[in-house]
Amino acid sequence: MKETMVSELMEALQEVKDPEIPDLSIVELGMVNQVTAEAGEVWVELTPTFVGCPALDWIADHVKEKLSPVKGVAQVKVSFVMDPPWTSERITPEGREKLKGFGIAPPRARGEDPMDLAPECPFCGAEGGEVLNLFGPTACRSIFYCRNCHQPFEGMKPI
């Protein structure tokens, strides 16, 4: 019974979208650490994608909004933890594909020098672009240029 409820809760969490990249859920971003349920109480443990994220209250409110209608849920409690820390390796394969569809290159493997190569272009799939700016619109993204399709694009930094 508990496993079925947790499965339903995880499915509902797929509807909680990242406020900056609304194509991705917090599940696909790898923010969900643990979901437990007992006697109508649900606890959700999340790791933010970066310390000081201004959207934590918004995310917590949406988690409660999406989980409250699930049968058997009386109360939802959301906590944010920094251990284990979030890394870009926690993004699911589905999340990586959705990033591309949104026009953002998924992060490369950690440890690669960002000045050595640009990630694969999310528009045409070409490699060998160039870094335009290591500092993009948010702390976790850089700006790149594709030499093949001549499009600038954002790419997530490996964290």
Side-chain angles (χ1 to χ4, degrees):
M1 171 87 176
K2 269 194 209 178
E3 289 179 26
T4 302
M5 183 175 202
V6 170
S7 178
E8 289 178 35
L9 294 169
M10 288 300 292
E11 190 174 316
L13 285 173
Q14 286 283 5
E15 298 302 315
V16 180
K17 303 300 182 179
D18 179 78
E20 290 182 4
I21 310 170
D23 287 5
L24 269 75
S25 73
I26 61 172
V27 174
E28 293 159 339
L29 276 173
M31 292 177 62
V32 180
N33 291 326
Q34 187 174 20
V35 177
T36 56
E38 188 174 317
E41 288 191 336
V42 174
W43 295 271
V44 180
E45 183 182 278
L46 303 173
T47 298
T49 55
F50 69 94
V51 177
C53 174
L56 297 185
D57 288 339
W58 185 92
I59 292 169
D61 289 345
H62 280 82
V63 166
K64 292 174 185 175
E65 176 187 315
K66 297 298 182 183
L67 298 188
S68 293
V70 174
K71 184 178 178 184
V73 173
Q75 185 177 22
V76 177
K77 295 180 181 178
V78 179
S79 62
F80 291 94
V81 298
M82 298 300 166
D83 187 26
W86 184 87
T87 71
S88 52
E89 293 167 349
R90 293 178 65 159
I91 301 171
T92 67
E94 296 83 9
R96 290 175 175 277
E97 288 302 313
K98 287 184 179 182
L99 277 171
K100 287 183 200 176
F102 196 71
I104 297 175
R108 295 178 316 279
R110 287 190 323 174
E112 291 183 25
D113 184 347
M115 294 306 287
D116 283 346
L117 76 144
E120 179 181 292
C121 176
F123 301 111
C124 73
E127 293 188 18
E130 63 185 90
V131 177
L132 290 182
N133 195 329
L134 284 177
F135 305 99
T138 65
C140 64
R141 294 189 295 223
S142 298
I143 307 287
F144 301 94
Y145 177 76
C146 179
R147 292 183 182 126
N148 184 58
C149 69
H150 308 289
Q151 290 293 316
F153 64 93
E154 294 178 27
M156 287 192 72
K157 295 176 185 175
I159 298 173

